[in-house]
Amino acid sequence: MSESTAPASPADQIAAGYAFTGPALELGALLWDGTCLPDRQIRIPLSMLNRHGLVAGATGTGKTKTLQLIAEQLSAGGVPVFLADIKGDVSGISAPGTPNEKTTQRAEEVAQEWGATGFPTEFYSLGGIGPGIPLRATVTSFGPVLMSKVLQLNQTQEQSLGLIFHYADAKGLELIDLKDLRAVVAFLVSDQGKAELKGIGGLSTVTAGVILRALTAFEQQGAAEFFGEPEFDTGEFLRTAADGRGLVSVLELPAVQDKPQLFSTFLMWLLADLYTDLPEVGDLERPKLVFFFDEAHLLFNGASKAFLESITQTVRLIRSKGIGVFFVTQTPKDVPGDVLGQLGNRVQHALRAFTPDDAKALKATVKTFPNSPYDLEELLTGLGTGEAVITVLSEKGAPTPVAATRLRAPQSLMGPIDAAALDTAVKSSPLYSRYAEAVDRESAYEKISAEQAAAEAAAEAAASGAAAEKQAKEAAKAGRSAPEAEPSLARQVVGSGLFRSLARSVGTQLGREISRSIFGTAKRRR
C-alpha cells in the first residue's frame, strides 16, 4: 500500500510560483507565519521587466534600497538602468558597499552571498544645475502637452499653446529655449502680430497673454537652464560598460527638489523621447532599459486629461520598444487606474494607518492584489524595514502568488558618495565634453529680433523719405504736377506685414511643419 502524498503547505505553494527556469532577479526570501524561509526564494523573471512595475510604501520603509537592489542585478545582467535621485542618496550605487553587522545578518537570513560591489554609473543633472552631465531639451522637442504641464495651464490654454507651436513649426521658427517661445507669443499679442493671431484660428489675445505671463514666471524660477542645446540624446541611456554590465544612469535632482512639476515632467519627456526614437522589438529575453520613475505622484498631480491619456498610451506602447518602467510612490492610489492596470510587477512596502485617510488608502491597496492566504491589511501595517509584499508576472505572463518577502541587501554603498568623487566621475565621463557647454544658435528669438530691427529701420527710413518728399513737393509747387510716386516705404512695410516673408515660406524646406508624437514631442532627426 503506497503512502499518500501530503498536500503542499501554503508556503510551498507560494514558493512554487517563483520557481522560474530562465534568468531572474533575486529579491529575497519568503516570510510565512512570522518566519523567514531562506530556502524559498522570491524572484522576478528578467524577461518580464518590460511589463512595468510599481514600488510603493510609506516614507522610511526601504523603497530606495529596493530600487538599488533591483538596479544592481539588472546592471549585472547587462541591462542598462535609469534612476532619478530625488534626495541625493542613490549615488552610492557606483561604489562598493560597506560590510557591517546588519548586512551580514540580512545576508544570512535570506541566503544571500553578499559581496561589496560598485556598478558602472553615469551622473546627470537637469540643465547643469547641481552635479552631473547636463540634460537639456529644446522647447520644440519638449512639445506643447508637456510644456502645458510645467506651466500649469488649463485645457483651453493647453490647446492654445498647441496652436502656437503649430504656428512656429509652419513659419520655420525654431523653438530652442524659453526665450524663443516667449518671443513668438509676444509677437502674436503685439500690434504687428494680431493679424497672424487671427490666421491660426481659435487663439485669443487674452489666452496668449496668460501663456506669456506663465512663461515669464517660469523663467524667473530659473527654469530657463533646462531648455536649450546641445539637446541630450536619450539613446545614451542604452549603453553598456566595457565589461558587459549595463550602465546605471543616475539623474541627480536634489538641487531642483523645489521644482517638482519640472523634474517630473522632464522625466516624462525622457520616456517620450525614447519611445519616439526606438524601433519596435516586441518581447525580449532581457529589456533594453529599465526606467525608475521616483516620486511618481508628482507627475499626476494636476495633470490634464490629455496629459494623462498621453502617459497611459506611452506606458502601454513603450513595452514593445523593450523599455520597462517602474513607478515609485507611497501608495498605489497615487497612480491613475489606467496606468496602474499596466504595472504587472508589484513591490509593496509597509503602509501606515494612523489617520482615516491612511486606513482608506490601506484598504484600496489591498484590493489591488490577487487573493492570497495572507491577511494583507494586517501584514502591510506590520512589515519591517526592508520587507515587502510582492507579486510579479511569471515567465508565461500570469501573476505569481502574493509573497511576503524579506529583501536582500544591496551590495553597493547604501548612501551618497562624497562630492569630490561625484565631481571626478562626472568630469571623467566621455559625455561631459559633448554636453557640458550650452550652445545658443540662431532661432526664433534672433529671427524675430532681426525682423523687428529691420522693421524699425524701415519705418525710420520711411519717415525720413516722407519728410524729404514733402520738402520736394513744396519746392516744386510752381504749377508742376509731381509724377506719380511709387508706394512709400512706410506703405510697403505696413502692406507686407512683419512676417509676410515667413508666411510665404510655408511649404518650403524652411517652412516645413515638425512631425510630432504622442505627447506632441518632436521626432528627433538623425
Side-chain angles (χ1 to χ4, degrees):
M1 182 175 177
S2 61
E3 296 182 4
S4 60
T5 303
S9 68
D12 289 335
Q13 292 174 0
I14 294 170
Y18 293 85
F20 311 124
T21 57
L25 308 186
E26 304 289 344
L27 299 179
L30 180 68
L31 287 169
W32 180 256
D33 199 21
T35 302
C36 184
L37 306 174
D39 58 333
R40 293 170 174 83
Q41 292 290 307
I42 304 304
R43 312 156 75 217
I44 177 171
L46 191 56
S47 60
M48 290 292 113
L49 266 295
N50 72 327
R51 301 298 180 94
H52 311 319
L54 177 74
V55 178
T59 301
T61 56
K63 294 193 299 294
T64 301
K65 301 302 179 287
T66 298
L67 302 190
Q68 198 166 338
L69 172 67
I70 296 174
E72 288 178 354
Q73 294 188 60
L74 285 168
S75 175
V79 179
V81 178
F82 176 92
L83 294 172
D85 187 8
I86 307 293
K87 299 184 289 292
D89 53 2
V90 181
S91 61
I93 196 168
S94 64
T98 304
N100 56 44
E101 186 177 337
K102 286 186 177 180
T103 56
T104 300
Q105 180 180 350
R106 176 58 61 96
E108 290 176 353
E109 291 172 347
V110 300
Q112 176 185 9
E113 294 182 9
W114 191 91
T117 310
F119 295 83
T121 307
E122 292 274 22
F123 296 99
Y124 299 95
S125 64
L126 285 188
I129 295 183
I133 298 161
L135 297 186
R136 299 183 187 89
T138 64
V139 170
T140 287
S141 73
F142 209 70
V145 177
L146 292 175
M147 186 61 71
S148 296
K149 178 70 164 65
V150 295
L151 295 178
Q152 301 181 53
L153 303 180
N154 62 30
Q155 186 173 353
T156 299
Q157 293 157 357
E158 179 180 316
Q159 292 169 347
S160 297
L161 185 62
L163 288 173
I164 292 168
F165 271 74
H166 170 85
Y167 171 80
D169 290 351
K171 302 298 184 180
L173 296 172
E174 293 179 276
L175 303 177
I176 303 298
D177 50 29
L178 289 182
K179 71 178 185 295
D180 290 324
L181 181 56
R182 183 161 42 81
V184 173
V185 179
F187 166 71
L188 289 173
V189 296
S190 69
D191 291 338
Q192 299 100 319
K194 286 179 180 176
E196 300 280 341
L197 199 62
K198 292 178 182 177
I200 61 177
L203 179 62
S204 72
T205 54
V206 174
T207 300
V210 169
I211 294 170
L212 186 61
R213 289 192 293 275
L215 273 171
T216 301
F218 193 43
E219 283 186 296
Q220 289 172 347
Q221 296 168 12
E225 298 287 340
F226 307 109
F227 296 94
E229 290 182 322
E231 183 172 67
F232 186 75
D233 181 355
T234 51
E236 307 283 12
F237 294 146
L238 305 178
R239 294 177 299 138
T240 55
D243 61 5
R245 291 185 296 172
L247 273 176
V248 181
S249 298
V250 178
L251 179 58
E252 293 293 330
L253 293 170
V256 292
Q257 285 188 79
D258 59 339
K259 298 178 177 66
Q261 289 276 359
L262 179 62
F263 71 68
S264 63
T265 310
F266 199 94
L267 292 178
M268 200 66 231
W269 172 78
L270 295 176
L271 266 186
D273 195 67
L274 282 164
Y275 169 79
T276 301
D277 284 354
L278 292 176
E280 296 276 342
V281 293
D283 290 326
L284 302 171
E285 291 184 359
R286 63 190 69 223
K288 288 186 174 182
L289 173 73
V290 177
F291 193 104
F292 289 91
F293 209 125
D294 205 356
E295 300 292 338
H297 64 283
L298 298 171
L299 181 70
F300 303 110
N301 285 350
S304 69
K305 182 180 179 182
F307 185 75
L308 290 176
E309 288 174 349
S310 297
I311 292 174
T312 303
Q313 192 174 2
T314 301
V315 172
R316 181 184 301 119
L317 298 177
I318 203 169
R319 177 179 73 82
S320 65
K321 305 293 185 89
I323 306 294
V325 184
F326 274 70
F327 291 97
V328 186
T329 189
Q330 294 199 357
T331 72
K333 72 180 183 66
D334 293 334
V335 180
D338 287 345
V339 177
L340 189 63
Q342 299 178 57
L343 310 182
N345 303 300
R346 302 277 299 279
V347 180
Q348 177 67 59
H349 287 267
L351 291 173
R352 310 302 180 210
F354 299 140
T355 68
D357 284 344
D358 290 342
K360 186 177 179 181
L362 175 62
K363 289 182 180 296
T365 298
V366 169
K367 290 179 181 178
T368 65
F369 280 92
N371 291 331
S372 80
Y374 294 100
D375 180 340
L376 286 179
E377 282 195 41
E378 179 180 346
L379 178 61
L380 285 171
T381 54
L383 290 170
T385 301
E387 296 177 346
V389 171
I390 292 173
T391 179
V392 302
L393 293 180
S394 72
E395 291 166 312
K396 295 181 179 179
T400 59
V402 175
T405 307
R406 183 161 293 164
L407 298 167
R408 294 183 169 217
Q411 295 178 289
S412 55
L413 183 65
M414 288 188 277
I417 59 174
D418 64 71
L422 180 54
D423 185 64
T424 299
V426 170
K427 292 182 177 175
S428 62
S429 168
L431 300 183
Y432 184 75
S433 60
R434 193 179 308 168
Y435 295 106
E437 196 69 33
V439 176
D440 188 12
R441 63 183 174 90
E442 184 185 59
S443 48
Y445 172 80
E446 287 79 15
K447 290 178 181 179
I448 289 174
S449 298
E451 290 283 350
Q452 288 175 331
E456 289 171 5
E460 287 182 14
S464 299
E469 184 179 345
K470 182 178 180 182
Q471 290 176 353
K473 283 182 179 180
E474 290 175 352
K477 64 181 179 180
R480 290 180 298 140
S481 59
E484 186 176 346
E486 292 183 4
S488 71
L489 191 53
R491 289 199 298 273
Q492 292 178 41
V493 171
V494 172
S496 66
L498 186 58
F499 274 75
R500 192 64 54 83
S501 61
L502 283 172
R504 286 199 302 267
S505 71
V506 175
T508 67
Q509 288 184 343
L510 288 177
R512 68 188 182 280
E513 186 155 2
I514 292 171
S515 175
R516 296 185 179 276
S517 63
I518 292 175
F519 273 99
T521 52
K523 294 184 178 180
R524 191 187 300 277
R525 290 186 177 87
R526 297 296 184 185

